[in-house]
Amino acid sequence: MDVGGQASRLNPDFSLRGRVLALQTGVLNQLLSDAVLARMLDSEAKVNQPGEALTLNELFSTLRASIWSELKTGGSIPGPRRDLQREHLRRIATVLTRPSPGTPADAVALFRAEAKQLSAQIRAAGSTGNRDAVTRAHLVESAGTLDEALKAPLVRQGV
């Protein structure tokens, strides 16, 4: 039944999981944009005391700790959290394999270090705890994605 075109615009099959991921992706896009990364690197030189500025290393480690917090719990990882973790992995892998021309070189180096550390944490967590089959598969795939990105040849864009 189409009441003034309303039926085609109202979809009863609403994906809350998809909407949440879209919001989280927007935040990651902003935090890990080339412009923000460059500004953060520049800000380190603009402060009187080295500890006054938020560093890229601090940003990356804070993101890793919050996005991958389930690695320490030993339990299963819910679907929406796995989605966020995959998005985080995708960002890291993209910078390692195809960084944009505007990505600062120091950021690429820190992404590489981050990938190595996260891969080790995922591997360690995958062999411990009481995790369901989906979580175990997710962790194996995640570590594999990072390892492949670390091994892949770097493709420089715009050069």
Side-chain angles (χ1 to χ4, degrees):
M1 176 174 160
D2 188 9
V3 180
Q6 291 287 341
S8 62
R9 288 186 277 162
L10 298 176
N11 183 358
D13 192 20
F14 173 79
S15 173
L16 179 60
R17 185 171 167 173
R19 295 280 176 106
V20 168
L21 181 61
L23 290 171
Q24 292 170 327
T25 298
V27 172
L28 279 178
N29 284 341
Q30 179 64 33
L31 287 173
L32 300 176
S33 70
D34 289 344
V36 169
L37 298 176
R39 282 198 320 262
M40 288 182 70
L41 286 169
D42 287 343
S43 72
E44 293 176 32
K46 296 177 181 178
V47 295
N48 293 329
Q49 299 295 322
E52 290 179 351
L54 176 66
T55 65
L56 284 185
N57 191 46
E58 290 171 318
L59 172 65
F60 290 174
S61 64
T62 299
L63 284 173
R64 179 178 14 92
S66 62
I67 292 171
W68 294 90
S69 61
E70 292 87 357
L71 295 179
K72 293 181 180 181
T73 67
S76 295
I77 302 172
R81 293 288 295 171
R82 291 192 308 268
D83 292 343
L84 174 60
Q85 291 168 351
R86 283 187 198 99
E87 189 62 29
H88 185 237
L89 288 176
R90 190 178 68 73
R91 302 239 180 278
I92 294 170
T94 298
V95 170
L96 295 180
T97 58
R98 295 179 315 275
S100 71
T103 305
D106 286 343
V108 175
L110 285 170
F111 270 111
R112 182 166 295 283
E114 184 66 19
K116 288 177 183 178
Q117 188 168 8
L118 181 56
S119 177
Q121 287 179 350
I122 291 170
R123 287 190 187 292
S127 62
T128 62
N130 183 20
R131 303 181 194 277
D132 63 13
V134 176
T135 297
R136 287 191 307 273
H138 167 68
L139 294 175
V140 168
E141 179 185 33
S142 297
T145 296
L146 289 171
D147 293 345
E148 290 300 315
L150 286 164
K151 292 178 198 170
L154 178 67
V155 177
R156 298 222 183 256
Q157 297 178 355
V159 178

